Amino acid sequence: MDVSIRHVRKEFNHFPALHDVSLDIRSGELIALLGPSGSGKTTLLRLIAGLERPSEGSIFFGNEDASHRTVQERNVGFVFQHYALFRHMTVADNIGFGLKVRPGATRPEKAEIRRRASELLDLVQLSGLEKRYPAQLSGGQRQRVALARALAIEPKVLLLDEPFGALDAQVRRELRRWLREIHDTTGHTTVFVTHDQEEALELADRVVVMSQGRIEQVGTADDVYDMPNSPFVYGFIGESSSLPVKVDNGELWLADRTIGISAQDVPNGNATLYFRPQEIELLDGCGGCIAGTVAGSRRVAGTRRVELEIGGDRQRVEVELPIGHPAAQQSRVAFRPRRYKVFPAQAA
Amino acid sequence: MTTTATASRGWQFRRPSVIPGFGLTFGFTIVYLTLIILIPLSGVAWRSAELGWADFWAIATDERTLKALEISFGASLIAAIVNVIFGVLVAWVLVRYRFPGRRIIDAAVDLPFALPTAVAGIALAAIYAPNGWVGQLLAPLGIKVAFTPLGIVIALIFIGLPFVVRTVQPVMEEIDREVEEAAATLGANRFQTITRVILPGLAPAVLTGFALAFARAVGEYGSVIFIAGNIPYVSEIAPLLIVIRLEEFNYAGATAVAAIMLVISFAMLFVINLIQAWSRRRYGYGA
């Protein structure tokens, strides 16, 4: 089911949580809403579910305006961070709940509900735990039951609110891969909220980066990582270093020296240069480069991170050196970013 | 290593933690319970044992004793059931809604705790008497409250209400909003959410409230004797029968009735406790 969010605005007691957000989700897509806390990602998810009503704008499921439909009518599967399982019910009863509460005419037979529940338990790899109570399951197992419960009602859209947030790192990685598999088998349009960029980039077909109630960028993992369209996205996704620079006729200047790289489409004046610590080339001499004094160095897995102080006002940036590279022993390092982006000062 | 040491010494107390204090607190608990509860209660058993089995049985199966016990436990049961229904309702209103005067109602719930029960009895008797405020409205309908078993039930409802409200309220406050939202996304309407999700979740707390209200009602004396009319075989409660026997200097007779009450109450509370332990194990409440 396509989901289309059109100019949605949401206020809580006159405090704006979302400003004019529009987003098109294609049928069968796996979408991540990524952003820091307070960016409005959970609000957006709850608006899609119908757990909140938009202050303005509308939400379409396919061609149908769902804005004024109640949660019950929307038929969405919602998975909560803290599972929200019914703890007085067995696993099988939890999963069958959505079918059992249907009105008489559309409610399946008891045996059919039981069959569906055990089928879904197979899907989430928990066969044989029908009779357990949620208190007798681990966190990862509970979240699987919660997902099976959401899938039982054959939802139009599957919505997950920080589904792995309460789990430890290893279970999280495992469930991530597993969620991808489930998505590929069932083909549900899926939207999940996360503040973990690794999770979003690895799992989602498209990532929606949000900040302060606005969508900053929508794109594939490659798009948002390699072509961030704003300083926020550059800083938020992956690691980045930034330096204040001056643009003069498309040439970048650091204090009174030119860096040797250009930014043709940026207007003259103050700007900020963003680059990734690993996407640099080290230079020997310095005719058009960034040079700085080594202020610190630490080993990060297979590489070495060197912190440099640049220029008179001692701006700190990080660059990455291969292990054993002689530059790590020097007191000064000169480099030039291989890939970078320059944002005019007012945007930064 | 710990397990082998335990095995060699045989059965022993489970050490709750390495923090000291177990011996002291456990010893204090035992001494305290012995002094305050066990010794007086064994006195009851002791005193009634003086009667000998035949006499004890004669008192126990005496028509008046049986009627008094029936009225006591029957009225307490009805009152506790009524309190469960309305107590949960009151707790729900207090927890879920914000309205002017909420705090006053919240405080008023505790009044039956604090009020001398005799005062409550007199007030209720005055109101429900055939010429009282409420009594005169009910009289034309042929409903008599004061000086009938119905009056006993009303007095017991009055004193038992706060027990249900105060045990259910905190648990209700802890209900996770997400659980309700989950039920809604799964298509459950409000009624289904309440009856199938929220109320079953409250069951252990409701059961505790029921047990407390019931136990309190069985032991109640002050408020009931004013409104009950105290007609033997009709509206005479077991505690009153004990007092009557005492006034006749029939101590053995009094303690015999007391012992029977003790056994029945203990058995009922024990069963309720077993149910709770079972539900806690299963659903992991409080875990």
Side-chain angles (χ1 to χ4, degrees), chain A residues 78-80 83-85 95 141-151:
Chain A
F78 203 102
V79 175
F80 294 87
Y83 332 121
L85 292 177
I95 297 175
Q141 289 175 326
R142 285 183 211 182
Q143 199 56 297
R144 287 168 193 236
V145 173
L147 185 75
R149 183 178 68 176
L151 289 172

Side-chain angles (χ1 to χ4, degrees), chain B residues 49-71:
Chain B
E50 283 174 3
L51 276 172
W53 184 246
D55 284 343
F56 179 82
W57 190 248
I59 292 172
T61 54
D62 175 48
E63 180 68 19
R64 192 169 169 189
T65 315
L66 286 178
K67 264 293 174 195
L69 288 171
E70 187 191 318
I71 291 163

Side-chain angles (χ1 to χ4, degrees), chain A residues 46 51 71-72 76 78 80 82 84-89 97-98 100-101 133 135 149-150 153, chain B residues 176 178-179 181-190 192 196-197 200-201 281-285:
Chain A
R46 291 173 62 87
L51 291 170
V71 206
Q72 286 90 348
V76 293
F78 203 102
F80 294 87
H82 298 289
L85 292 177
F86 310 131
R87 53 185 181 172
H88 61 279
M89 292 184 201
F97 183 83
K100 267 182 227 155
V101 296
Y133 284 87
R149 183 178 68 176
I153 58 168
Chain B
D176 197 351
E178 287 188 350
V179 170
E181 290 179 344
T185 59
L186 292 167
N189 60 36
R190 199 64 196 139
Q192 289 169 321
R196 297 197 184 192
V197 176
R281 251 200 323 279
R282 213 162 85 154
Y283 307 144
Y285 287 104

